[in-house]
Amino acid sequence: MKIDKMNKKILNILQRNGRMTYKEVAKKIDRAQSTVRDRIGIMEEDGVIKGYTVVINKKKAGLDCYAINQCKVDPGRLDEVTRKLLRIDNILQVYHTSGDHNLTFMLATCDYDEMKRILSEKVAPLGISDMEIKIIMESVREMAYTDIM
Amino acid sequence: MKIDKMNKKILNILQRNGRMTYKEVAKKIDRAQSTVRDRIGIMEEDGVIKGYTVVINKKKAGLDCYAINQCKVDPGRLDEVTRKLLRIDNILQVYHTSGDHNLTFMLATCDYDEMKRILSEKVAPLGISDMEIKIIMESVREMAYTDIM
Amino acid sequence: MKIDKMNKKILNILQRNGRMTYKEVAKKIDRAQSTVRDRIGIMEEDGVIKGYTVVINKKKAGLDCYAINQCKVDPGRLDEVTRKLLRIDNILQVYHTSGDHNLTFMLATCDYDEMKRILSEKVAPLGISDMEIKIIMESVREMAYTDIM
Amino acid sequence: MKIDKMNKKILNILQRNGRMTYKEVAKKIDRAQSTVRDRIGIMEEDGVIKGYTVVINKKKAGLDCYAINQCKVDPGRLDEVTRKLLRIDNILQVYHTSGDHNLTFMLATCDYDEMKRILSEKVAPLGISDMEIKIIMESVREMAYTDIM
Amino acid sequence: MKIDKMNKKILNILQRNGRMTYKEVAKKIDRAQSTVRDRIGIMEEDGVIKGYTVVINKKKAGLDCYAINQCKVDPGRLDEVTRKLLRIDNILQVYHTSGDHNLTFMLATCDYDEMKRILSEKVAPLGISDMEIKIIMESVREMAYTDIM
Amino acid sequence: MKIDKMNKKILNILQRNGRMTYKEVAKKIDRAQSTVRDRIGIMEEDGVIKGYTVVINKKKAGLDCYAINQCKVDPGRLDEVTRKLLRIDNILQVYHTSGDHNLTFMLATCDYDEMKRILSEKVAPLGISDMEIKIIMESVREMAYTDIM
Amino acid sequence: MKIDKMNKKILNILQRNGRMTYKEVAKKIDRAQSTVRDRIGIMEEDGVIKGYTVVINKKKAGLDCYAINQCKVDPGRLDEVTRKLLRIDNILQVYHTSGDHNLTFMLATCDYDEMKRILSEKVAPLGISDMEIKIIMESVREMAYTDIM
Amino acid sequence: MKIDKMNKKILNILQRNGRMTYKEVAKKIDRAQSTVRDRIGIMEEDGVIKGYTVVINKKKAGLDCYAINQCKVDPGRLDEVTRKLLRIDNILQVYHTSGDHNLTFMLATCDYDEMKRILSEKVAPLGISDMEIKIIMESVREMAYTDIM
């Protein structure tokens, strides 16, 4: 799919404020509201836009324990393990990565006990041979955007 | 701040669709639209809600090179380095973590060359003594939400 | 439980000298002996105070081999392994931690032979897949306290 | 110093209850109270007994962030760094160990912010080149004793 | 086999240009063409020369994903695993090495998906217990030669 | 650049035998010799083809010590260090990679002494802070090709 | 056993020259030859002296491949694995160590092929889960002695 | 130098008993005593034989603390550091190795204090940036020999 200049502008605006109305976006880029609506609709259909979300301050929302978990999974079972992992509550972003750990995921829970319970009862049985938990001591920025150029 | 049951419901809805109107949210939780608007307003003011964003499929948007970078920074300079890091384009989420690398950040660029250029010209001079780049080979889930209970 | 100012003072005193009598503590904080006794009794019941112990110089007491052991345990079996570990003599403090080793424990024995025997005959059969032994070459401070403020 | 059978018995009793009176200890090992008092006095003088302390449940006492820190220090400056480290509040046990990190210490603070502040403002400036923080997610046992035989 | 001065010269020339004709090589080293042909023929027979190849710019040829993979294989099965590995398409150079990973191989594919598919469906089932993937972000030099002296 | 089917066939043939004449290649793919010559010429100009080389059995050619070296270089100086590295004899392939070592290069020498001398006198002074040498105990396959499809 | 001053002198002499006759040693320390003979005999019986050996330059004796191998063995099977390891030719010194590898041994062979064959056919089947081979590129000192004081 | 069959026999005998007289060796291999003496003399001159030593049980000789130290040294200063290291008492065998630590040495001292003192006062100032100490918990075999074939 072709991401032209107008689409880039739209994406960059929505990254900063995902709730902006078509009208507001249209005004910002000096186009017709219908054009903006169409463009966004097409990007949603094409999967360029995956969705819209609120970015929450996890600590303030009572999620005191927040971690990055890096796992080793048998490459032959990586897709299967990932599918099951996605169904577990509290699992947030999930990535396949280079390096000696091939699976990285974010996890947020109320406290350590809940985190331990989820890892032991739900994640471990999926067949994860090695798991390195990095506690996020401060989430400096979660509202992330990158200028698409 | 107290996150009561209604606020939790609102947050869980907005996590899944950050563009839902006050009216739609109100209907979903069977409350008045003004109540929803007030609640959301207060959560925005209190910093429980940090913002709203569009979740983009990076590959489809032309950001072919996407990575998790784990760095060691002198703890005495961690806050200063982080402040400067946040000003660099292409740097997405930023975390302070436990473990032997105390700073983790996400980075998305058009290609390897741009990534190398940013790391060498902008990130390295900040005073980062050790940097481990993990290329995200597949971003399985980026649209993340966790049920706040 | 609420740890008020007086309880904090009492705890800070007892951390430095766990054998101090109620009377001595009372005098130090200028309260009635009965108040101190009650306060301590409540903190013991509530589990704020876990117990009192003598801090021994392990080398002088004939425990020549003292180590920190960091283990990897299948998260699904962590609680079970920990319960069994606690029953083994010579095992001292036990912690669940972040990082790639999820179980850390202290161990003191008369000599290397006894340490090896305990690790091979008692600890290893519990199902510990990876064990990193760090010999404590000097225990600089074991009598530890932190000012509760 | 000679740790004979009676001293061993006394130490094992005091490890389990550091507040037991001379009279109670004497009764338990069927000796005169004066003998127990003398024995304990000598062990205190000889440094076999370093002190007595209350063992506190850190979480319940408001110390929510508890960690094991493993550091690399230039061996030529290890003693100097250690001396300074011992003066920092919140630093608990301190050990010199084998392995690639030669200095291990325990640290308890109210929250992550305080931990970060102490590490960046007080620990880092001492000259610690590499620091791996392991968050204690659960302190399974802190009241530790080992039977001296 | 003896690699004399003339053979060394021939090898050094062919390393830089593997398509050079016997005649051109002969002229360069000031010998008869038949001598060069004989020398090369003998080195081919003796296995000093393993073959001739074109060095391709992988990115330009559509192989966008290029990696160095370091694996741990049970030493008792190393030769068997290696034999099977050599039959997999996309596997390039293969080495047995010192260090904690005993098998290193290069791998080039069109994209991450193909790389993941090959690793999961073809490489992992061979019995590789640990695999560290290093993505080649830039292949600075592939046309390699070393002056044989 | 477009790598069409014919070019792919030509590349796959030349990977297996880099000395094959235009005529032989032409016959194999059933095209005119002039077409093959043109195609190859264009791929050479466009940099798809970087060159042609003889693949030598290093041990048989007297290069007894062959290693993969993985280095950490300050990202801000990576290009400069690489440029200088390329000028050193005995340095073969050079790659920039993901992971905690950002520079990997191959090195072949007559013996350990020569390798040590090159690393200490020529490579180390370039500003390489960490170097992990993996000795190649067996070079199972160096004549590498991958079918371009 | 008591190592008195005279025994120390004898040991220090024999470490430097293990073939020195009783007479020569006696002269050096100004004692009767019979005293020296008796002292040495007792130290041999008591196991202070384990034996005498020639120190060979391995390279010059045709042992071109010399390595330090660090292994992880299930602690419950460490003694059994060690007993079997000691029976394998080419295995030299054997140590149980602290750290994440609990078994370290030296190995010298004619070439890499023999080393690989021994590791795969003889060492691996003993049940060694992880093996890190460090090639000794230069054995700077093998004739080792330490002054016993 | 040529190590023929007879020399190999002699070396294998002397490895097992370095104090055996020429006469005894001669008898064992059924040759004249003068032949043995000559052969040994030549091997000593040629450096095949580096010396003869007594193998001591370090623990029984009062050397309670015995360790393998693995260090990282700037490759450009490796020879200089090694030369100085060799002059330090208590340093035993010294090796240059592959892997991420390029210098390995053995060290035996009376106790941990002496080891720490040597490392901090004598070894560290030589310019060693990273040092991993592995305590030898049991020296299973130090009297090492390998059959030269």
Side-chain angles (χ1 to χ4, degrees):
Chain A
M1 194 218 169
K2 196 68 196 64
I3 306 285
D4 68 3
K5 220 164 172 179
M6 202 199 306
N7 281 358
K8 283 178 187 170
K9 278 188 188 164
I10 295 170
L11 288 174
N12 288 340
I13 288 167
L14 290 177
Q15 280 190 99
R16 280 168 181 77
N17 182 357
R19 270 180 91 73
M20 200 175 270
T21 61
Y22 298 132
K23 198 172 156 185
E24 290 168 315
V25 176
K27 198 179 156 192
K28 275 212 140 186
I29 64 168
D30 201 21
R31 300 279 161 158
Q33 187 177 332
S34 61
T35 309
V36 166
R37 184 188 306 264
D38 288 356
R39 290 301 190 106
I40 290 178
I42 291 167
M43 287 195 287
E44 287 172 358
E45 270 167 44
D46 288 342
V48 176
I49 290 177
K50 291 176 161 183
Y52 306 89
T53 194
V54 61
V55 179
I56 294 171
N57 182 320
K58 289 184 178 58
K59 292 258 154 105
K60 291 195 177 170
L63 292 163
D64 269 342
C65 193
Y66 186 23
I68 305 175
N69 281 23
Q70 301 182 77
C71 304
K72 289 186 195 176
V73 177
D74 173 359
R77 294 193 54 230
L78 182 57
D79 283 328
E80 177 203 336
V81 168
T82 303
R83 262 196 314 278
K84 290 177 182 166
L85 192 74
L86 289 170
R87 288 189 217 119
I88 300 172
D89 284 344
N90 300 83
I91 301 290
L92 305 169
Q93 292 93 329
V94 178
Y95 307 103
H96 292 171
T97 65
S98 70
D100 58 347
H101 292 81
N102 50 359
L103 178 68
T104 295
F105 63 91
M106 315 296 282
L107 178 70
T109 61
C110 296
D111 54 26
Y112 289 139
D113 281 348
E114 195 191 358
M115 182 165 284
K116 270 183 51 185
R117 196 183 49 74
I118 289 171
L119 294 177
S120 68
E121 294 177 14
K122 300 195 176 165
V123 176
L126 300 182
I128 284 170
S129 67
D130 220 337
M131 187 154 61
E132 181 177 345
I133 305 173
K134 292 175 88 76
I135 299 293
I136 293 177
M137 296 176 71
E138 185 177 346
S139 176
V140 184
R141 175 159 75 191
E142 290 217 56
M143 177 74 184
Y145 49 80
T146 181
D147 283 310
I148 298 162
M149 282 171 297
Chain B
M1 193 218 169
K2 195 67 196 62
I3 305 285
D4 68 3
K5 222 168 172 175
M6 201 199 306
N7 281 357
K8 284 176 186 172
K9 277 188 189 165
I10 293 169
L11 288 174
N12 288 339
I13 287 165
L14 289 177
Q15 279 189 99
R16 280 166 182 78
N17 183 356
R19 270 180 91 74
M20 200 175 269
T21 61
Y22 298 132
K23 198 173 159 186
E24 290 167 317
V25 175
K27 199 179 155 190
K28 273 214 140 184
I29 64 168
D30 201 22
R31 300 280 161 158
Q33 187 177 331
S34 62
T35 310
V36 166
R37 184 187 306 263
D38 287 356
R39 290 302 191 104
I40 289 177
I42 292 168
M43 289 195 286
E44 286 172 359
E45 270 168 44
D46 288 341
V48 177
I49 289 175
K50 291 175 162 184
Y52 306 88
T53 197
V54 62
V55 179
I56 294 171
N57 182 321
K58 289 184 181 58
K59 292 257 154 108
K60 291 195 176 171
L63 292 161
D64 269 341
C65 193
Y66 187 22
I68 306 174
N69 281 25
Q70 301 181 76
C71 305
K72 289 187 193 174
V73 177
D74 173 357
R77 295 194 51 234
L78 183 56
D79 282 329
E80 178 204 336
V81 168
T82 303
R83 258 197 316 277
K84 290 176 182 167
L85 192 72
L86 289 169
R87 287 189 218 121
I88 300 173
D89 284 344
N90 299 83
I91 302 289
L92 305 170
Q93 293 92 329
V94 177
Y95 307 103
H96 292 171
T97 66
S98 69
D100 58 347
H101 292 80
N102 52 359
L103 177 69
T104 295
F105 63 90
M106 314 295 283
L107 179 68
T109 60
C110 296
D111 53 27
Y112 289 139
D113 280 349
E114 195 190 0
M115 182 165 285
K116 269 183 53 186
R117 195 181 51 75
I118 289 172
L119 294 176
S120 68
E121 293 177 14
K122 300 195 177 166
V123 177
L126 300 182
I128 284 170
S129 67
D130 220 339
M131 187 154 60
E132 181 178 346
I133 305 172
K134 293 174 87 74
I135 300 292
I136 295 179
M137 297 175 70
E138 185 176 345
S139 176
V140 184
R141 177 159 74 191
E142 289 216 59
M143 176 75 185
Y145 48 80
T146 180
D147 284 311
I148 299 163
M149 280 172 295
Chain C
M1 195 218 168
K2 196 65 198 64
I3 306 285
D4 68 2
K5 220 164 172 177
M6 202 199 305
N7 281 357
K8 284 178 186 172
K9 278 188 187 164
I10 294 170
L11 288 175
N12 288 340
I13 288 166
L14 290 177
Q15 279 189 99
R16 279 166 181 76
N17 182 356
R19 270 180 90 75
M20 200 176 268
T21 61
Y22 299 131
K23 197 173 157 185
E24 291 167 314
V25 176
K27 199 177 155 192
K28 275 213 140 187
I29 63 168
D30 201 21
R31 300 279 160 156
Q33 186 176 335
S34 61
T35 308
V36 167
R37 183 187 307 265
D38 289 356
R39 289 302 190 104
I40 289 177
I42 291 168
M43 287 195 287
E44 287 172 358
E45 271 168 44
D46 288 340
V48 177
I49 290 176
K50 290 176 161 184
Y52 306 89
T53 195
V54 62
V55 178
I56 293 171
N57 183 320
K58 288 183 180 58
K59 291 258 153 106
K60 290 194 176 170
L63 292 162
D64 269 342
C65 193
Y66 187 23
I68 306 175
N69 281 23
Q70 302 183 74
C71 304
K72 289 187 194 175
V73 177
D74 173 359
R77 294 194 54 233
L78 182 58
D79 282 329
E80 177 203 337
V81 168
T82 303
R83 262 198 313 277
K84 290 176 182 168
L85 192 73
L86 289 169
R87 288 189 216 119
I88 300 172
D89 285 345
N90 300 82
I91 302 290
L92 305 169
Q93 294 92 329
V94 178
Y95 308 103
H96 292 170
T97 66
S98 70
D100 58 346
H101 291 81
N102 52 359
L103 178 69
T104 295
F105 64 90
M106 314 295 283
L107 177 70
T109 60
C110 297
D111 53 27
Y112 289 139
D113 281 348
E114 196 190 359
M115 181 164 287
K116 270 183 51 185
R117 196 182 49 74
I118 289 172
L119 293 176
S120 67
E121 294 177 14
K122 301 195 177 165
V123 176
L126 298 182
I128 284 169
S129 67
D130 218 341
M131 187 154 60
E132 181 179 345
I133 306 172
K134 292 175 88 74
I135 299 293
I136 295 177
M137 296 176 71
E138 185 175 345
S139 176
V140 183
R141 176 159 74 190
E142 289 218 57
M143 178 74 184
Y145 48 79
T146 181
D147 283 311
I148 299 163
M149 281 171 297
Chain D
M1 194 220 168
K2 196 65 198 63
I3 306 285
D4 69 3
K5 221 165 172 177
M6 201 200 305
N7 281 357
K8 285 177 185 171
K9 277 187 189 166
I10 293 169
L11 288 175
N12 288 340
I13 287 166
L14 289 177
Q15 280 189 100
R16 281 167 181 78
N17 182 355
R19 271 181 89 74
M20 201 176 268
T21 62
Y22 298 131
K23 197 174 158 184
E24 289 167 316
V25 175
K27 198 178 156 191
K28 273 215 141 185
I29 63 168
D30 201 21
R31 300 280 160 156
Q33 186 177 333
S34 62
T35 310
V36 167
R37 183 187 307 264
D38 288 356
R39 290 301 190 104
I40 289 177
I42 291 168
M43 288 195 287
E44 287 171 357
E45 271 167 43
D46 288 339
V48 177
I49 290 176
K50 291 176 160 182
Y52 307 88
T53 196
V54 62
V55 179
I56 295 172
N57 183 320
K58 288 184 181 57
K59 292 259 153 107
K60 291 194 177 171
L63 292 162
D64 269 341
C65 193
Y66 187 22
I68 306 175
N69 281 24
Q70 301 182 75
C71 305
K72 288 187 195 177
V73 177
D74 173 358
R77 295 192 52 231
L78 183 57
D79 282 329
E80 178 203 335
V81 168
T82 302
R83 259 196 317 275
K84 290 177 181 167
L85 192 72
L86 288 169
R87 287 188 217 122
I88 300 172
D89 284 344
N90 300 82
I91 301 290
L92 305 170
Q93 293 93 329
V94 178
Y95 307 103
H96 293 170
T97 65
S98 70
D100 57 347
H101 291 82
N102 52 0
L103 177 68
T104 295
F105 63 90
M106 314 294 284
L107 178 69
T109 60
C110 297
D111 53 27
Y112 288 140
D113 280 348
E114 196 190 359
M115 182 165 284
K116 268 183 53 185
R117 196 183 49 76
I118 289 171
L119 294 176
S120 68
E121 293 177 14
K122 299 195 177 166
V123 177
L126 299 182
I128 284 170
S129 66
D130 219 341
M131 186 155 59
E132 181 178 347
I133 306 172
K134 294 174 87 76
I135 300 293
I136 295 179
M137 296 176 71
E138 185 177 345
S139 177
V140 184
R141 176 159 75 190
E142 289 217 58
M143 177 74 185
Y145 49 79
T146 181
D147 284 311
I148 298 162
M149 281 173 295
Chain E
M1 196 221 168
K2 196 68 196 65
I3 305 284
D4 67 4
K5 223 168 171 175
M6 201 199 308
N7 281 357
K8 284 177 186 171
K9 278 187 189 166
I10 294 170
L11 288 173
N12 288 340
I13 288 167
L14 290 177
Q15 280 189 100
R16 279 166 183 78
N17 182 356
R19 271 181 91 72
M20 199 175 269
T21 60
Y22 298 132
K23 197 172 157 186
E24 291 168 315
V25 176
K27 199 177 154 192
K28 273 214 142 185
I29 63 168
D30 201 20
R31 298 278 161 159
Q33 188 177 330
S34 61
T35 309
V36 167
R37 183 187 306 266
D38 288 357
R39 290 301 191 105
I40 289 177
I42 291 168
M43 288 195 287
E44 286 172 358
E45 269 167 45
D46 288 340
V48 176
I49 289 176
K50 290 177 162 182
Y52 305 88
T53 195
V54 62
V55 178
I56 294 171
N57 182 321
K58 289 185 179 57
K59 292 258 154 108
K60 291 196 175 169
L63 293 162
D64 268 342
C65 193
Y66 186 22
I68 305 175
N69 281 23
Q70 302 182 74
C71 304
K72 289 187 194 177
V73 177
D74 173 359
R77 294 194 53 232
L78 183 57
D79 282 328
E80 178 203 335
V81 167
T82 303
R83 261 197 314 275
K84 290 177 181 167
L85 192 73
L86 289 170
R87 288 189 216 120
I88 300 173
D89 284 344
N90 300 83
I91 302 289
L92 305 170
Q93 293 92 329
V94 178
Y95 307 103
H96 293 170
T97 65
S98 69
D100 59 347
H101 291 81
N102 51 359
L103 178 69
T104 295
F105 63 90
M106 314 296 282
L107 178 69
T109 60
C110 296
D111 53 27
Y112 287 140
D113 281 348
E114 195 190 1
M115 182 165 284
K116 271 184 50 186
R117 196 181 51 73
I118 289 172
L119 293 176
S120 69
E121 294 177 14
K122 300 195 176 166
V123 176
L126 299 182
I128 284 169
S129 67
D130 220 338
M131 187 155 59
E132 182 178 345
I133 305 173
K134 293 175 88 73
I135 300 292
I136 294 178
M137 297 175 71
E138 184 177 345
S139 177
V140 184
R141 177 159 74 190
E142 289 216 58
M143 177 74 184
Y145 48 80
T146 181
D147 283 310
I148 299 163
M149 281 171 297
Chain F
M1 193 219 170
K2 194 69 196 61
I3 305 286
D4 68 3
K5 222 167 172 176
M6 201 199 306
N7 281 356
K8 284 177 187 171
K9 276 187 190 166
I10 294 171
L11 288 174
N12 288 340
I13 287 166
L14 290 178
Q15 279 188 99
R16 279 167 182 78
N17 183 356
R19 272 181 89 73
M20 198 175 269
T21 61
Y22 299 131
K23 197 174 159 185
E24 289 168 316
V25 176
K27 198 179 156 191
K28 272 214 142 185
I29 63 168
D30 201 20
R31 299 278 160 158
Q33 187 176 332
S34 61
T35 309
V36 167
R37 184 186 307 263
D38 287 357
R39 292 299 191 106
I40 289 177
I42 290 168
M43 288 195 285
E44 287 172 357
E45 271 166 44
D46 288 341
V48 177
I49 290 176
K50 291 176 163 183
Y52 306 89
T53 195
V54 62
V55 179
I56 294 172
N57 183 320
K58 288 185 181 56
K59 293 258 153 106
K60 290 195 177 171
L63 293 162
D64 269 342
C65 193
Y66 186 22
I68 305 175
N69 281 24
Q70 302 182 73
C71 304
K72 289 187 195 176
V73 177
D74 174 358
R77 296 194 50 235
L78 183 57
D79 282 328
E80 177 202 335
V81 168
T82 303
R83 258 197 316 276
K84 289 177 182 166
L85 192 73
L86 289 169
R87 287 190 216 118
I88 300 172
D89 285 343
N90 300 83
I91 302 288
L92 305 170
Q93 292 93 330
V94 177
Y95 307 103
H96 293 171
T97 66
S98 70
D100 58 347
H101 291 80
N102 51 359
L103 179 68
T104 295
F105 63 91
M106 314 296 283
L107 179 68
T109 59
C110 296
D111 53 27
Y112 289 140
D113 280 350
E114 196 191 358
M115 181 166 284
K116 271 182 51 185
R117 195 181 50 75
I118 289 171
L119 293 177
S120 68
E121 294 177 14
K122 300 195 178 166
V123 176
L126 300 182
I128 284 170
S129 67
D130 219 340
M131 187 154 59
E132 182 179 345
I133 305 172
K134 294 175 87 75
I135 299 293
I136 295 179
M137 297 175 71
E138 186 177 344
S139 177
V140 182
R141 176 159 74 191
E142 289 216 58
M143 177 74 185
Y145 48 80
T146 181
D147 284 311
I148 298 164
M149 280 173 298
Chain G
M1 193 219 172
K2 197 68 195 64
I3 306 285
D4 67 3
K5 221 167 172 175
M6 200 199 307
N7 281 356
K8 284 177 186 170
K9 278 188 189 165
I10 293 170
L11 287 174
N12 288 340
I13 288 166
L14 290 176
Q15 281 188 99
R16 279 167 181 78
N17 183 355
R19 271 180 91 72
M20 201 176 269
T21 61
Y22 299 133
K23 197 172 157 186
E24 291 168 315
V25 176
K27 198 178 154 190
K28 273 213 141 185
I29 63 168
D30 202 21
R31 299 281 161 156
Q33 187 177 332
S34 61
T35 309
V36 167
R37 183 187 306 264
D38 287 357
R39 290 303 191 103
I40 289 177
I42 291 168
M43 288 195 286
E44 286 172 358
E45 270 168 43
D46 288 341
V48 176
I49 289 176
K50 291 175 160 184
Y52 306 88
T53 195
V54 63
V55 178
I56 294 171
N57 183 321
K58 288 183 180 58
K59 291 259 152 107
K60 290 195 176 171
L63 292 161
D64 269 341
C65 193
Y66 186 23
I68 306 175
N69 282 22
Q70 301 183 75
C71 305
K72 289 186 193 176
V73 178
D74 173 359
R77 295 192 53 232
L78 182 57
D79 282 329
E80 178 202 337
V81 168
T82 304
R83 259 196 317 276
K84 290 176 182 167
L85 192 73
L86 289 170
R87 287 189 217 120
I88 299 173
D89 283 345
N90 300 81
I91 302 289
L92 305 171
Q93 292 94 328
V94 178
Y95 307 103
H96 293 171
T97 65
S98 69
D100 58 347
H101 292 82
N102 52 359
L103 177 69
T104 295
F105 63 90
M106 314 296 282
L107 177 69
T109 60
C110 297
D111 53 27
Y112 288 139
D113 281 347
E114 194 189 0
M115 182 165 283
K116 271 183 51 187
R117 197 181 50 74
I118 289 172
L119 293 176
S120 68
E121 294 177 15
K122 300 196 176 166
V123 176
L126 299 182
I128 284 169
S129 68
D130 220 339
M131 187 154 59
E132 182 178 345
I133 305 173
K134 292 175 89 74
I135 300 292
I136 295 178
M137 295 176 72
E138 185 176 346
S139 177
V140 183
R141 177 158 74 190
E142 289 216 58
M143 176 75 184
Y145 48 79
T146 180
D147 282 311
I148 299 162
M149 281 171 296
Chain H
M1 194 222 168
K2 196 65 197 66
I3 305 286
D4 68 2
K5 220 165 176 179
M6 201 199 308
N7 280 358
K8 283 176 186 172
K9 278 188 188 165
I10 293 170
L11 288 174
N12 289 340
I13 288 166
L14 290 177
Q15 279 188 101
R16 281 166 181 79
N17 183 355
R19 271 180 90 74
M20 200 175 269
T21 61
Y22 299 131
K23 198 173 158 185
E24 290 167 317
V25 175
K27 200 179 154 189
K28 273 215 141 184
I29 63 168
D30 201 21
R31 300 279 161 158
Q33 187 176 331
S34 61
T35 308
V36 166
R37 184 188 305 263
D38 288 356
R39 290 301 192 106
I40 289 177
I42 291 168
M43 288 195 286
E44 288 172 357
E45 271 167 44
D46 288 340
V48 177
I49 291 176
K50 290 175 162 183
Y52 306 88
T53 195
V54 61
V55 179
I56 294 172
N57 182 320
K58 288 185 180 56
K59 292 257 153 107
K60 291 194 176 171
L63 292 162
D64 269 341
C65 193
Y66 187 22
I68 305 175
N69 281 24
Q70 302 181 75
C71 305
K72 288 187 195 174
V73 177
D74 173 359
R77 295 194 52 232
L78 183 56
D79 282 328
E80 177 203 336
V81 168
T82 303
R83 260 197 316 277
K84 289 177 183 168
L85 192 73
L86 289 169
R87 287 189 216 119
I88 300 173
D89 284 344
N90 299 84
I91 302 289
L92 304 170
Q93 292 93 329
V94 178
Y95 308 103
H96 293 171
T97 66
S98 70
D100 58 346
H101 292 80
N102 52 359
L103 177 69
T104 295
F105 63 91
M106 315 294 285
L107 178 69
T109 59
C110 297
D111 53 28
Y112 288 139
D113 281 349
E114 196 191 359
M115 181 166 286
K116 269 184 50 186
R117 196 181 50 75
I118 289 171
L119 293 176
S120 68
E121 294 177 13
K122 300 194 178 167
V123 176
L126 299 182
I128 284 170
S129 68
D130 219 340
M131 186 155 59
E132 181 178 345
I133 306 172
K134 295 175 86 76
I135 300 292
I136 294 178
M137 298 175 70
E138 186 177 346
S139 176
V140 184
R141 176 160 74 191
E142 290 217 55
M143 177 74 186
Y145 49 79
T146 182
D147 283 310
I148 298 162
M149 282 173 296

